[in-house]
């Protein structure tokens, strides 16, 4: 926000200064910093500067692709009959959004794309809370608890790239990243909206100055100190026991609902003695200040909030923020949602929400958490909304293959053909395949296997697979790799068996998004994973009781989620004694344990049981997600009762 210019005394350049400046300009060298204030009018009293600073922001607008619509059957939820149809599907009103992808592109597309109208029709974006990755030197690996066991998740390459872009040049990279996103967030907010940014001592000074510049110094409402619980780590100075939450408003007014902290019994009696004859509202207590000491960090395995994220924030923290700065029905957003605390609390408090994250594991964690919240609210006969899982679709490919300029139709076709050829060459290089010259169908060769790259903007379907099999037989080839960004649902494993029956060893592999990072390609870091699929069958209880008749088990009969041949063997070999891991092995989900003597045992984990409330025909969605967030799903029809 600009301010009136600061009046300075006129400064007359000397002849020597003029000569020096002319020489520096002719040589293309930067001018000394002092001339910035002498030669140019500066309307800012204080400004944060960094290497590569620009006020330009992303203007890309990309379409959102719907991956899943989640709304549990709720015909028995009487209070929402006008909200859902007879099948339990939400048929009108705002649907909450869980979006996977780069939040810069998401924010730009929300700001200027088709969803902006939905946001405005739903009352506008009233509150943003973000907890960006401010831990300088941290990585994206984490320990995850599954069924009482702890497993270590290393960062995938997309997360490594994001970390490198955020911290590759230290503070400069972080400020550049957050500055652009703050501008996009500000432009998306309602005029009476507020934003809370969570940080600690490492970046709070940078963020304060950046937010002063983006929102205006007069829009700072509070610098909240959250003094968290738990033992402080002993260091050679005062132990650190707090985080900072910066609160700014978007316009000249903002929503503020005063919150109160109850008095304890001793304080209440003291207050009554001091104010004799004056009623003290013990339940309401005293207004909450900007110093929060009463919110504890969720700890311990028995805590229901814990979902395995090391930086997970307590629901009580978000509950206070959401109650203060929004009302029921308002839209709340978190663009670094992590484990989904903001969305979970917003749902419980009757707010609409938007949550985004770059990590696919974070998206799946949030999805699972919100399904649990839906079920809790449904059991309590309380209102709740459906939510949809979105991403930006094929945005990397669209951006890479974009043809611009004033070209004729023929020229555009030729330019696009060149770009597609260059794109295939990039994919082959990432796959470490040797390009084939003069070949009409296959594009490369790798370790004695033919390699073909599938359609760029379409999922690979049965017809394409049949064409691959035909071309292999024409050439007398028995082994081929098929690379694609997407495959039609339900395509595998049937077509692989068909290829095998014709003597063809066909290996479909996903092209990862990392192919768009030249540095990763040059360093040979890109990994192409085998296609994922799952097969399941229902098993009915054999008992004759009413409960037995309504109970089924789903058994995974074949399963693979981005399984790479040899990965299980390598993982077992590197496993430490006394540890265990869950992995995919020969189409089964296996818990592999190694005892202190090095003895390895395997337990199959491929069945799940469910009891229905009433007989009937149902469809069971079987979704398998590994700890990296990769997933696959199949639908199994069942007849109960």
């Amino acid at each position: 926000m600009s301010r009136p210019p600061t009046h300075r005394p006129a400064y007359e350049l000397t002849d020597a200064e003029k000569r020096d400046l002319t020489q520096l300009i002719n040589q293309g060298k930067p001018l000394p910093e002092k001339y910035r204030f002498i030669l140019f009018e500066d309307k800012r009293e204080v400004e944060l500067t960094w290497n590569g600073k620009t006020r330009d922001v992303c203007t890309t607008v990309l379409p959102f692709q719907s991956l899943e619509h989640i709304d549990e059957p709720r015909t028995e939820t009487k209070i929402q009959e006008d909200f859902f149809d007879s099948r339990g599907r939400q048929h009108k009103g705002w649907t909450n959004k869980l979006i996977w992808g780069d939040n810069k592109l998401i924010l730009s597309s929300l700001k200027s794309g088709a969803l902006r109208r939905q946001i405005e029709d739903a009352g506008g974006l009233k509150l943003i809370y973000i907890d960006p990755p401010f831990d300088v030197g941290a990585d994206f690996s984490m320990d995850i608890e599954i069924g009482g066991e702890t497993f270590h998740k290393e960062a995938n390459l997309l997360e490594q790239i994001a970390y490198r872009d955020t911290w590759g040049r230290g503070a400069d990279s972080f400020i550049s990243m957050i500055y652009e996103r703050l501008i996009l967030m500000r432009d998306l907010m309602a005029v009476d909206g507020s934003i809370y940014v969570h940080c600690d001592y490492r970046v709070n000074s940078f963020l304060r100055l950046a937010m002063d510049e983006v929102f205006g110094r007069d829009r700072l409402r509070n610098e909240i100190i959250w003094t968290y619980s738990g033992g402080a780590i002993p260091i050679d100075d005062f132990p650190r026991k707090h985080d900072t939450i910066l609160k700014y408003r978007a316009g000249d007014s903002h929503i503020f609902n005063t919150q109160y902290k109850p008095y304890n019994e001793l304080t209440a009696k003291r207050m009554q003695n001091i104010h004799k004859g004056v009623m003290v509202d013990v339940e309401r207590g005293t207004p909450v200040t900007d110093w929060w000491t009463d919110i504890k960090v969720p700890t311990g395995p028995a805590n229901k909030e814990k979902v395995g994220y090391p930086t997970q924030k307590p629901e009580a923290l978000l509950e206070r923020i959401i109650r203060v700065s929004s009302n029921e029905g308002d839209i709340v957003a978190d663009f670094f949602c992590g484990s989904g605390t903001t969305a979970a609390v917003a749902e419980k408090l009757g707010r609409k929400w938007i949550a985004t994250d770059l990590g696919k594991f974070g998206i799946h964690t949030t999805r699972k958490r919100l399904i649990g919240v839906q079920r809790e609210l449904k059991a309590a006969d309380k209102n709740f909304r459906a939510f949809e899982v979105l991403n930006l679709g094929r945005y990397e490919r669209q951006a890479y293959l974009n043809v611009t300029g004033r070209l004729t139709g023929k020229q555009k076709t030729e330019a696009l053909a060149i770009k597609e050829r260059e794109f295939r060459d990039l994919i082959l290089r990432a796959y470490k395949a040797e390009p084939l010259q003069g070949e009409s169908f296959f594009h490369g060769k790798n370790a004695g296997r033919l390699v073909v790259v599938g359609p760029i903007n379409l999922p690979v379907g049965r017809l394409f697979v049949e064409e691959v099999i035909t071309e292999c037989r024409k050439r007398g080839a028995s082994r081929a790799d098929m690379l694609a960004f997407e495959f039609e649902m339900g395509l595998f494993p049937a077509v692989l068996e068909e290829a095998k029956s014709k003597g063809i060893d066909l290996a479909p592999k996903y092209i990862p998004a990392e192919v768009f990072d030249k540095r990763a390609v040059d360093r040979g870091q890109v990994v192409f994973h085998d296609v994922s699929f799952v097969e399941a069958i229902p098993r009915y209880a054999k008992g004759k009781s009413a409960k037995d008749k309504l109970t089924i088990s789903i058994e995974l009969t074949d399963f693979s989620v981005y399984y790479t041949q040899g990965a299980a063997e390598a993982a077992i070999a590197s496993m430490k004694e006394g540890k265990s891991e869950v992995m995919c092995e020969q189409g089964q989900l296996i818990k592999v344990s190694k005892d202190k003597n090095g003895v390895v045992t395997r337990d199959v984990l491929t069945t799940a049981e469910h009891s229905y409330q009433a007989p009937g025909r149902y469809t069971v969605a079987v979704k398998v997600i590994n700890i990296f967030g990769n997933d696959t799903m199949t639908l199994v029809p069942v007849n109960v009762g």
Side-chain angles (χ1 to χ4, degrees), residues 30-197:
L31 305 183
E33 185 70 13
K34 70 173 184 178
Y35 290 111
R36 175 181 169 203
F37 301 100
I38 294 171
L39 297 174
F40 306 102
E41 180 182 63
D42 191 356
K43 297 182 179 181
R44 288 173 301 279
E45 298 172 4
V46 178
E47 180 186 2
L48 178 64
T49 61
W50 61 89
N51 183 29
K53 179 177 182 179
T54 175
R55 291 179 176 81
D56 295 335
V57 298
C58 178
T59 57
T60 303
V61 178
L62 298 167
F64 288 96
Q65 177 183 358
S66 180
L67 303 179
E68 189 176 10
H69 191 279
I70 298 171
D71 48 2
E72 301 243 314
R74 50 182 64 76
T75 52
E76 68 275 24
T77 307
K78 304 300 182 186
I79 60 175
Q80 291 184 272
E81 284 181 342
D82 62 335
F83 205 55
F84 297 94
D85 63 23
S86 59
R87 299 170 301 148
R89 293 278 293 185
Q90 181 174 317
H91 60 78
K92 66 178 181 180
W94 168 268
T95 302
N96 292 319
K97 319 292 181 190
L98 177 58
I99 310 174
W100 174 41
D102 184 336
N103 56 15
K104 176 176 71 175
L105 290 166
I106 291 171
L107 282 162
S108 177
S109 300
L110 287 175
K111 172 188 168 184
S112 304
L115 282 184
R116 180 63 181 263
R117 179 63 182 269
Q118 285 190 38
I119 293 172
E120 299 300 331
D121 288 346
L125 179 51
K126 301 292 190 180
L127 170 63
I128 296 174
Y129 167 87
I130 58 170
D131 183 12
F134 55 81
D135 187 2
V136 184
D139 58 29
F140 283 83
S141 64
M142 64 179 70
D143 289 329
I144 299 165
E145 291 185 8
I146 302 176
E149 300 287 339
T150 300
F151 307 97
H152 187 70
K153 173 196 173 297
E154 293 290 347
N156 63 37
L157 192 56
L158 266 181
E159 292 169 329
Q160 292 176 30
I161 292 167
Y163 173 77
R164 186 169 63 214
D165 290 343
T166 303
W167 292 110
R169 299 191 313 271
D172 282 355
S173 299
F174 173 77
I175 301 168
S176 294
M177 180 278 292
I178 200 67
Y179 185 75
E180 180 176 13
R181 286 157 177 79
L182 287 172
I183 293 174
L184 290 167
M185 289 180 207
R186 178 201 64 194
D187 294 346
L188 186 60
M189 291 169 65
V191 292
D192 57 346
S194 300
I195 180 170
Y196 290 72
V197 179

Side-chain angles (χ1 to χ4, degrees), residues 514-629:
E514 291 87 346
V515 296
F516 300 101
D517 189 304
K518 187 176 182 297
R519 294 165 294 185
V521 174
D522 292 342
R523 294 173 185 173
Q525 295 175 315
V526 181
V527 177
F528 290 69
H529 294 282
D530 292 350
V531 72
S532 58
F533 62 85
V534 58
E535 286 188 329
I537 59 173
R539 300 287 188 190
Y540 297 93
K542 295 180 179 179
K544 296 182 179 180
S545 69
K547 182 179 179 182
D548 289 335
K549 292 179 180 179
L550 296 177
T551 300
I552 63 164
S553 295
I554 298 294
E555 179 182 347
L556 300 186
T557 56
D558 207 353
F559 159 64
S560 174
V561 177
Y562 289 178
Y563 173 61
T564 302
Q565 188 66 36
E569 291 80 1
I572 293 171
S574 62
M575 188 188 304
K576 294 181 180 179
E577 294 177 353
K579 297 293 184 180
S580 62
E581 289 190 20
V582 174
M583 60 188 68
C584 176
E585 187 178 58
Q586 297 180 352
Q588 296 290 310
L589 196 62
I590 307 290
K591 177 184 175 183
V592 181
S593 304
K594 183 183 287 188
D595 66 17
K596 295 182 179 179
N597 298 318
V599 177
V600 175
T601 57
R602 292 171 168 83
D603 296 311
V604 179
L605 305 175
T606 49
T607 59
E609 186 178 281
H610 180 71
S611 295
Y612 288 88
Q613 295 179 350
R617 293 185 178 184
Y618 299 93
T619 300
V620 179
V622 181
K623 189 165 191 174
V624 182
I625 306 167
N626 70 9
I627 65 172
F628 302 104

Side-chain angles (χ1 to χ4, degrees), residues 260-483:
Y260 294 86
K261 184 167 64 173
Y263 297 117
N264 59 40
E265 187 175 347
L266 182 61
T267 303
K269 289 181 178 179
R270 186 182 300 120
M271 292 291 290
Q272 287 171 339
N273 288 332
I274 294 172
H275 304 284
K276 290 182 179 179
V278 178
M279 292 297 294
V280 176
D281 190 337
V282 178
E283 292 299 321
R284 195 178 194 192
T286 183
V288 172
T289 68
D290 61 3
W291 194 272
W292 298 354
T293 61
D294 58 327
I295 297 176
K296 311 301 181 185
V297 176
T299 57
N303 192 294
K304 293 181 179 180
E305 288 186 29
K306 294 289 286 182
V307 294
Y309 259 72
T311 59
Q312 181 182 345
K313 299 303 182 290
E315 290 193 4
L317 183 72
L318 272 300
E319 181 177 346
R320 177 166 293 170
I321 290 170
I322 291 171
R323 285 189 184 279
V324 166
S325 292
S326 70
N327 297 313
E328 285 195 34
D330 286 346
I331 303 178
V332 174
D334 185 344
F335 298 104
F336 297 86
C337 74
S339 61
T341 303
T342 303
V345 176
E347 184 69 53
K348 291 177 183 179
L349 296 179
R351 273 66 168 175
K352 302 162 187 165
W353 54 265
I354 300 170
T356 81
D357 203 87
L358 176 67
K360 199 171 185 183
F361 183 78
I363 293 296
H364 281 304
T365 301
T366 301
R367 172 190 175 276
K368 180 180 179 181
R369 188 172 182 177
L370 265 297
I371 290 174
V373 172
Q374 281 186 335
R375 290 173 178 172
E376 288 176 19
L377 294 173
K378 176 181 175 181
D381 207 25
K382 294 182 179 179
N383 287 357
F384 53 94
R385 290 180 178 272
F387 69 94
E388 53 187 336
V389 183
L390 308 170
N391 71 2
L392 288 173
R394 310 173 184 92
Y395 63 81
E396 298 104 335
R397 285 166 273 171
Q398 290 175 351
Y400 196 92
L401 295 176
N402 187 33
V403 175
T404 58
R406 295 183 177 180
L407 303 175
T408 64
K410 182 180 179 181
Q411 289 172 329
K412 283 185 178 181
T413 301
E414 292 173 350
L416 183 60
I418 293 171
K419 282 210 166 190
E420 286 183 346
R421 186 166 60 250
E422 292 174 348
F423 192 32
R424 282 194 296 269
D425 290 343
L426 174 71
I427 294 168
L428 291 173
R429 186 156 60 90
Y431 194 59
K432 301 181 179 65
E434 175 189 352
L436 291 177
Q437 303 299 328
E439 172 63 52
S440 60
F441 184 80
F442 290 99
H443 302 114
K445 195 172 184 179
N446 185 337
R449 302 179 66 91
L450 291 172
V451 178
V452 61
V453 180
I456 302 300
N457 284 322
L458 293 171
V460 164
R462 174 172 287 276
L463 291 177
F464 185 84
V465 176
E466 290 176 353
E467 191 174 359
V468 173
I469 294 171
T470 300
E471 293 295 330
C472 280
R473 299 185 73 181
K474 281 183 183 178
R475 291 160 177 75
S478 61
R479 297 185 299 169
D481 294 343
M482 186 168 54
L483 313 181

